[in-house]
């Protein structure tokens, strides 16, 4: 048996509250979007894909070891935008400024977890744009029909990254259901 897993960077409550307010405002203007529940908002560090259940404890231990060696770092929020970049949009992201510290963490995670995740979806290009997926399109929309996205209120806000979580993603008709399997704080400064 396998589970669909990814590594998430949890968001602080202040950011979650601001994003809930943003969703409530934009949701009325964008009926073509299915907004991510606030409890599911996170920065995805690494998508592992289907991982064998017997490998999950070893993957959790590898994640814990990476977190023990990591120091907290900031991610700076930029703006809400249609995504992915250079493609037909099918999501709304809260993009964050490129971060060499984020990229270094993702590289360490990929190296530590690759033995347990043969379907791992990682490349430096993908890790180049940290982001929070705020919404997904319910149906395709012509680009000229897309509503202009409002400011989130988090522009230029620094969000502290101080932990990682090993998450299970169960796909359902109403959207993904996320479950935290384990979570580890970074080494304190």
């Amino acid at each position: 048996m396998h589970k669909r897993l990814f590594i998430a960077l949890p968001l602080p409550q202040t950011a979650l509250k601001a994003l809930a307010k943003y969703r409530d405002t934009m949701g009325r203007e964008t009926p073509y979007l299915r907004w991510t529940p606030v409890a599911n908002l996170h920065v995805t560090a690494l998508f592992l894909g289907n991982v064998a259940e017997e490998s999950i404890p070893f993957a959790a231990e590898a994640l814990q070891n990476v977190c023990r060696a990591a120091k907290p770092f900031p991610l700076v929020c930029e703006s809400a935008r249609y995504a992915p970049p250079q493609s037909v949009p099918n999501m709304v992201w809260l993009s964050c400024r490129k971060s060499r510290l984020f990229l270094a963490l993702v590289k360490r995670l990929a190296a530590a977890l690759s033995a347990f995740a043969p379907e791992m979806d990682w490349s430096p290009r993908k890790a180049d744009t940290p982001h929070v997926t705020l919404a997904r399109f319910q149906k395709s929309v012509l680009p000229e029909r897309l509503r202009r996205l409002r400011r989130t209120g988090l522009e230029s806000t620094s969000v502290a990254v101080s932990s990682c979580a090993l998450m299970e993603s169960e796909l359902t008709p109403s959207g993904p259901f996320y479950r935290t399997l384990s979570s580890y704080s970074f080494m304190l400064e």
Side-chain angles (χ1 to χ4, degrees):
M1 190 82 160
H2 290 79
K3 291 189 176 190
R4 187 173 187 261
L5 305 182
F6 65 94
I7 306 299
L9 306 180
L11 297 171
Q13 285 300 315
T14 52
L16 292 175
K17 286 179 184 175
L19 293 173
K21 185 176 177 183
Y22 178 75
R23 176 206 58 202
D24 292 346
T25 301
M26 282 302 300
R28 291 187 294 272
E29 301 174 14
T30 53
Y32 50 87
L33 294 174
R34 183 179 70 228
W35 291 86
T36 304
V38 173
N40 286 357
L41 294 173
H42 62 273
V43 175
T44 300
L46 188 62
F47 182 73
L48 302 178
N50 290 313
V51 175
E53 283 193 42
E54 59 271 13
S55 296
I56 292 174
F58 302 107
E61 183 178 356
L63 174 61
Q64 183 178 27
N65 290 336
V66 169
C67 290
R68 281 183 183 150
K71 290 185 179 181
F73 63 91
L75 276 181
V76 179
C77 300
E78 289 189 324
S79 62
R81 68 180 190 187
Y82 289 107
Q86 292 88 40
S87 186
V88 175
N90 60 10
M91 293 179 268
V92 174
W93 287 355
L94 170 63
S95 60
C96 299
R97 196 169 294 151
K98 292 181 182 185
S99 166
R100 62 179 177 74
L101 296 172
F102 175 78
L103 183 57
L105 173 66
V106 174
K107 284 181 180 178
R108 288 193 307 274
L109 289 168
L113 295 164
S114 63
F116 313 109
E119 296 178 6
M120 184 186 302
D121 185 15
W122 181 83
S123 72
R125 182 186 59 76
K126 281 193 171 199
D128 196 36
T129 310
H131 64 274
V132 179
T133 300
L134 299 176
R136 296 182 185 280
F137 283 44
Q138 294 187 68
K139 57 185 176 189
S140 61
V141 178
L142 295 172
E144 61 271 12
R145 306 273 305 184
L146 294 176
R147 295 282 308 201
R148 185 168 173 264
L149 295 172
R150 296 176 185 264
R151 295 176 52 82
T152 63
L154 290 174
E155 290 79 7
S156 301
T157 300
S158 181
V159 175
V161 176
S162 59
S163 65
C164 283
L166 179 61
M167 305 291 293
E168 177 183 5
S169 172
E170 183 182 333
L171 301 178
T172 71
S174 60
F177 172 75
Y178 298 150
R179 181 179 304 113
T180 303
L181 301 181
S182 59
S183 181
Y184 304 102
S185 295
F186 294 169
M187 174 181 71
L188 298 178
E189 293 185 274

